[in-house]
Amino acid sequence: MIDTGISSRIPLEEYARILGEGEIEELRALAKPLRGRSIEMINSTAVGGGVAEILTRLLPLAEQFGLNIRWDVLTGGDDFFEVTKAFHNALHGAPYHATARDFEIFKAYNERNQSRLPLDAEFMVIHDPQPAALIEARKKNGNHWVWRCHIDLSHPNQAVWDFLEPYVARHDASMFSSPAFARKLPIPQYLFYPAIDPLSEKNCDLEPEFIAGVLARYGIDPQRPILTQISRFDRLKDPVGVVRAYRIVKRYFDCQLVLAGGGAPDDPEGSVVLKEVLREAENDPDIKVLDLPASAPLEVNALQRASTIVIQKSLREGFGLTVSEALWKKKPVVASAVGGIPTQVIHKQTGLLAHSVEGTAYQIRFLLSHPEIAAKLGESGHQHVKENFLITQKLKRYLTLFLALSGCK
Ligand code: UDP
């Protein structure tokens, strides 16, 4: 079981200060009938990536409302995570020829985890495809199982989806981050936005001296524009495309590029992609490729806050928590119009969208030459996140779902 620790609890009064007492009261009312009842969240990594980020913050908050919530992580060998990463890319639409052996590996590790994990909570929440086959261990007329999908399933590889679909269909409900990701399924499908914790180390206010210290440590010049993309080194995040966009911008502005990314234990491709990025960067002293530890929230926070513009040039994206993180910090964002990103970046209102390397460069140049527009976009972005993508709203959604599943008892 992952221990998020009592020390990571942030007092509810601090959330009330940002969101108003009403929001906390509403959560208390919804949580009351669920107090002491058990919830088990299962995903495939304790650190790295958006799902771990959300669970790290959701648990300490939920516990403060009296919920008996735990978080377990699937274990697997390299062979399992190679298969599941390939499935992940294939479900996002990348070309892939799945073999019978891939499916056997997937099933074998899920079977092993069935006997390792308790799987007996009243509400089981299964995150993403990796643990989807745990549903086989469900007891008849037992607990409630829901499947939370964080990836863009709008154009999945058919063979991989055909393999997963029967597992998904045995859950009581499914949750997707965008209406466009919904599939034809015999179970209810709900829209659930990912969310950030405004008070976590990743998003809280920071002292200017701390931010200056982080910049100094990495040799980043605070006097010149800083363009930043924070992402795992993953081809779907297109870090090489970011370098190419920067090179175009660099012809017009003396700017710097920061590409910061840590790994995740369930992502075996990181080191290969990191090498590709370093090759593309060609020792340009104004490109800082930072291989961060999987969990370095204060550093990520500082880099986001120090940025002139935050980029998220993904080719596919379930949601992209990094976008909400940047908007919360009132940063102008230039991001690709893919997956869950346009829900956060409403073009010309809360940021700018692009569809290519050249488009990304164009929007960055526009913002660098119109700082007053950039500031306005950042302000509206902050408000948009406050209204839609904070962890308190997410908990509310979960509580409502659990109440509905249990017949409001
Ligand atoms: N992140 C991090 N360090 C890194 C790279 C990413 O802490 O070096 C965090 C990032 O701030 C965000 C999460 O990992 O909270 C990534 O979530 P997102 O939804 O953007 O992408 P995913 O990795 O889940 O595809």
Side-chain angles (χ1 to χ4, degrees):
M1 182 169 79
I2 303 300
D3 179 13
T4 51
I6 201 149
S7 60
S8 60
R9 280 192 195 169
I10 294 165
L12 295 179
E13 303 80 70
E14 292 194 29
Y15 291 98
R17 213 172 305 138
I18 298 181
L19 300 162
E21 189 53 43
E23 184 79 1
I24 306 301
E25 277 314 309
E26 212 176 311
L27 277 163
R28 279 207 184 93
L30 284 169
K32 199 169 169 202
L34 293 163
R35 250 188 238 153
R37 291 163 74 179
S38 56
I39 301 155
E40 184 179 357
M41 299 269 168
I42 301 183
N43 80 324
S44 63
T45 179
V47 284
V51 182
E53 176 78 20
I54 293 167
L55 294 180
T56 301
R57 300 310 315 153
L58 188 70
L59 265 81
L61 183 64
E63 282 170 349
Q64 294 196 68
F65 289 96
L67 301 177
N68 172 13
I69 184 166
R70 62 179 280 154
W71 170 17
D72 289 305
V73 170
L74 210 64
T75 51
D78 292 348
D79 49 352
F80 178 63
F81 291 118
E82 268 154 32
V83 166
T84 55
K85 181 70 203 272
F87 281 10
H88 173 93
N89 291 340
L91 290 167
H92 271 296
Y96 179 63
H97 177 69
T99 65
R101 187 169 171 273
D102 295 340
F103 297 139
E104 285 316 313
I105 289 172
F106 183 94
K107 285 197 270 195
Y109 279 102
N110 267 269
E111 262 164 43
R112 267 182 234 174
N113 279 281
Q114 281 166 24
S115 42
R116 197 182 64 81
L117 296 170
L119 310 183
D120 58 356
E122 183 178 351
F123 303 102
M124 298 292 307
V125 184
I126 305 299
H127 292 264
D128 281 335
Q130 298 93 330
L134 294 179
I135 187 75
E136 302 226 285
R138 179 184 193 167
K139 314 251 176 337
K140 233 183 169 184
N141 299 323
N143 43 7
H144 304 285
W145 287 63
V146 294
W147 188 63
R148 170 67 175 106
C149 180
H150 295 267
I151 59 186
D152 177 351
L153 274 189
S154 52
H155 299 90
N157 173 292
Q158 202 56 44
V160 176
W161 177 245
D162 286 349
F163 168 73
L164 281 176
E165 197 268 352
Y167 297 119
V168 171
R170 288 169 64 182
H171 291 71
D172 298 317
S174 55
M175 295 107 92
F176 296 91
S177 305
S178 160
F181 304 167
R183 307 298 306 161
K184 205 159 187 278
L185 283 167
I187 56 173
Q189 304 183 51
Y190 299 109
L191 179 62
F192 261 60
Y193 291 135
I196 63 161
D197 186 335
L199 296 169
S200 67
E201 291 185 323
K202 176 72 60 71
N203 298 306
C204 64
D205 289 337
L206 293 177
E207 295 298 331
E209 298 75 39
F210 179 82
I211 299 173
V214 171
L215 293 189
R217 191 166 342 128
Y218 292 117
I220 302 165
D221 175 5
Q223 304 303 330
R224 290 183 294 145
I226 303 169
L227 316 177
T228 305
Q229 176 163 297
I230 308 269
S231 278
R232 289 177 297 101
F233 291 104
D234 180 323
R235 291 194 189 95
L236 293 182
K237 308 284 183 185
D238 199 16
V240 167
V242 177
V243 175
R244 291 180 182 157
Y246 152 85
R247 285 203 200 291
I248 299 174
V249 177
K250 185 79 175 172
R251 290 187 218 143
Y252 306 88
F253 290 92
D254 181 17
C255 57
Q256 306 159 87
L257 174 65
V258 177
L259 280 167
D266 65 344
D267 178 2
E269 289 179 335
S271 53
V272 182
V273 178
L274 175 60
K275 280 193 195 122
E276 292 169 9
V277 175
L278 288 168
R279 207 174 310 128
E280 188 70 27
E282 289 175 340
N283 297 321
D284 179 337
D286 281 335
I287 304 180
K288 309 289 177 194
V289 181
L290 310 181
D291 186 11
L292 298 179
S295 178
L298 286 169
E299 296 210 332
V300 169
N301 186 344
L303 291 169
Q304 288 168 329
R305 285 185 188 278
S307 303
T308 316
I309 293 172
V310 171
I311 305 167
Q312 191 58 54
K313 209 209 150 297
S314 304
L315 301 172
R316 294 273 188 281
E317 192 60 78
F319 185 74
L321 270 190
T322 46
V323 172
S324 275
E325 289 165 1
L327 294 177
W328 177 251
K329 296 170 182 105
K330 302 187 177 177
K331 292 293 153 184
V333 171
V334 174
S336 302
V338 297
I341 289 178
T343 315
Q344 303 170 81
V345 176
I346 302 165
H347 190 53
K348 297 187 182 174
Q349 286 184 43
T350 64
L352 296 179
L353 292 172
H355 301 265
S356 62
V357 166
E358 293 73 18
T360 303
Y362 176 86
Q363 304 294 28
I364 294 170
R365 285 177 55 203
F366 176 81
L367 290 179
L368 288 177
S369 33
H370 297 85
E372 65 302 340
I373 296 180
K376 276 198 191 128
L377 292 175
E379 283 290 338
S380 329
H382 173 83
Q383 201 52 34
H384 186 47
V385 171
K386 187 170 174 184
E387 284 162 18
N388 298 289
F389 309 123
L390 293 188
I391 197 87
T392 41
Q393 277 116 329
K394 182 154 184 97
L395 179 58
K396 217 189 289 179
R397 245 18 227 121
Y398 267 118
L399 297 175
T400 314
L401 175 67
F402 296 150
L403 287 171
L405 286 169
S406 60
C408 293
K409 288 194 293 277

